[in-house]
Amino acid sequence: MRSIWKGAISFGLVSIPIKVVAATENHSVSFHQVHTVDQGRIRYRKVCELDEEEVPREEIGRGFETEEGRTMLLTDDDMAALPLPTARTVEILGFVPAEEIDPIQLDRSYYLAADGKRADKPYVLLREALKRSGKVAVAKLALRARESLGMLRVYEDALALHTMLWPDEIRSVSGVAPEEEVTVRDAELDLADTLMETLGELDWGDLRDEYREALEELVRAKAEGAEPPPEELRRRAEAGGGKLVDLMSVLERSVQEARSGHAEGEATVHALSDRRKGTGERAASGRSGGKGGRSGAAGSGAKPAARKSPAKKTAAKKTAAKKTTAKKTGTKKAAAAEKSAGTAGAKKTAAGKTAAKKSARPRKTA
C-alpha cells in the first residue's frame, strides 16, 4: 500500500519511525457529468475571476482571507516553516480507556506501518503495551494541511490511527430528540426486545452494498440493450415506506416476518448463530416469565405474549375453572346414563332368559 505520510510516533523519549497508509477505500459508484445531447464530458476549468482566463495548476497558490477582506498568499515554504511539533510527529498525549472516546469524534482511519528495521522493536513495544493495558493512546498530528487529534489502538497485529474531530467541531445535540414527553409501555419494550432477539447476531461477512450491485446490473442491462427493471421490482423497492399507524401491530408484524425469514432460510444478514439458538431453546424449556423467558421464546420460535394485568389473569382463571367444572359434570352425567342403560339392558336380558325357560318346560296333562 502506498504511504500518504511519513513521520514518527513520539512515545516519551521513544521515537518510532512510521508510514501512514489509508485503512479504508471507497467502493461507491461514481458518475461523470455528460451532455445529454451528444454524451460529451462536462469539464470544470479553473478560471481567474479578474481576467477570466484559465489558470494552469502551477500558477494556483494558497490564499487566506482575513477579517478585513484582504487575501494573504501563503507559500509552501511558509507552511513548512510553521513551528508545529506535530508536523512530522504523532505526539502521544496520554492513554485513556477506549469507552471514554465517543465514536462521533472519529473521522478517518489509517494503518501505521513501521518504517525500517530499526522501528520494529519500539513498534512492537507500543503495540504490546496497549494490548496489556487495554487502553488507547490519544495523540496530536498534522495531516492534510491541518492539525488533528488522533486515537491509536491495536487492530489485529498492527497499530491503527483514527483521526478525531476537535471538541468544538461537534455540534450541539439540542433540538434533535423529541422535546415533548413520550410514554413507552412495557409491552412495547417487550416486543422490541423480542424483535432484537429474533433478528439475532450480525454476520459481517454477509453485508454488501446492494444499491451498488443493483446499479451495476442496471448499467450492464442497458449496455446489452435490455429494458430497465419492470414496474413490479420498482414497487417492491418502494414498499418499505409508509406511516406507522399502530406501533404495537408494526412490532408484532416485524417479529413474525423475522421469524418466518429464519424458518425459510431467507435471512442472511440477521441469521441466528448456533450459540444463540441453543440459549433460546434452554431459556424456553428451563425458564418462565421475565425477560429471560421471553428471549428464550423468541429463540425457539414461540409466539410472544403481551404482559397481562392481574384483572385479566383472574378472569382467565375463573373461565378455566368454569370450563373444568362443566367438563366434570358432563362426564358424570354421561357415566350415569351409560350405567342406567347397562342396567336396563341387563334386566331385559334376564327377563328374556326366564321366559325362555318357562316355555321350554313340559306341560302337565290331566
Side-chain angles (χ1 to χ4, degrees), residues 96-284:
V96 298
E99 56 268 18
E100 286 191 11
I101 298 177
D102 196 292
I104 200 171
Q105 276 192 269
L106 302 181
D107 191 11
R108 295 176 177 270
S109 301
Y110 302 93
Y111 293 141
L112 302 182
D115 190 9
K117 289 293 183 182
R118 65 188 183 95
D120 290 351
K121 182 68 177 287
Y123 184 97
V124 174
L125 171 64
L126 177 58
R127 183 190 68 190
E128 296 304 313
L130 288 173
K131 277 185 180 179
R132 190 166 71 171
S133 68
K135 296 182 177 181
V136 297
V138 177
K140 283 202 310 182
L141 71 155
L143 184 65
R144 298 188 182 276
R146 61 166 293 178
E147 187 176 54
S148 303
L149 287 174
M151 181 186 77
L152 272 73
R153 68 181 183 98
V154 178
Y155 180 77
E156 296 184 359
D157 289 332
L159 292 176
L161 169 69
H162 304 275
T163 56
M164 299 167 56
L165 302 174
W166 295 94
D168 60 358
E169 292 179 316
I170 306 297
R171 292 180 175 177
S172 173
V173 75
S174 61
V176 176
E179 296 181 357
E180 298 180 359
E181 185 176 355
V182 179
T183 302
V184 179
R185 295 179 295 166
D186 288 342
E188 294 168 340
L189 286 174
D190 293 341
L191 272 176
D193 291 341
T194 303
L195 178 59
M196 293 168 62
E197 290 292 334
T198 304
L199 292 177
E201 296 179 347
L202 187 64
D203 189 349
W204 294 96
D206 289 338
L207 297 182
R208 65 187 191 278
D209 188 348
E210 297 183 20
Y211 176 80
R212 177 171 60 88
E213 292 176 357
L215 186 58
E216 291 174 347
E217 184 177 352
L218 174 61
V219 172
R220 285 194 299 268
K222 291 181 74 69
E224 296 171 359
E227 291 295 323
E231 291 297 326
E232 176 62 26
L233 294 179
R234 295 180 184 176
R235 285 196 296 269
R236 191 185 306 171
E238 297 171 357
K243 296 181 180 179
L244 297 180
V245 179
D246 184 2
L247 182 59
M248 287 291 290
S249 63
V250 171
L251 284 172
E252 289 174 352
R253 190 164 67 250
S254 299
V255 171
Q256 295 301 327
E257 289 180 358
R259 284 176 176 162
S260 62
H262 288 310
E264 297 172 6
E266 296 175 352
T268 55
V269 174
H270 302 294
L272 285 170
S273 65
D274 294 337
R275 178 179 60 81
R276 187 171 289 270
K277 284 182 179 177
T279 304
E281 291 172 358
R282 289 195 300 271

Side-chain angles (χ1 to χ4, degrees), residues 5 13 15 22 38-39 42-44 55-56 107 110 126 128 151 176 179 196 201 221 238 248 295 303 311 314 316:
W5 189 88
L13 297 178
S15 180
D38 54 14
Q39 297 185 3
I42 303 299
R43 303 286 185 178
Y44 288 97
V55 181
D107 191 11
Y110 302 93
L126 177 58
E128 296 304 313
M151 181 186 77
V176 176
E179 296 181 357
M196 293 168 62
E201 296 179 347
E238 297 171 357
M248 287 291 290
S295 301
K303 184 177 181 181
T314 305

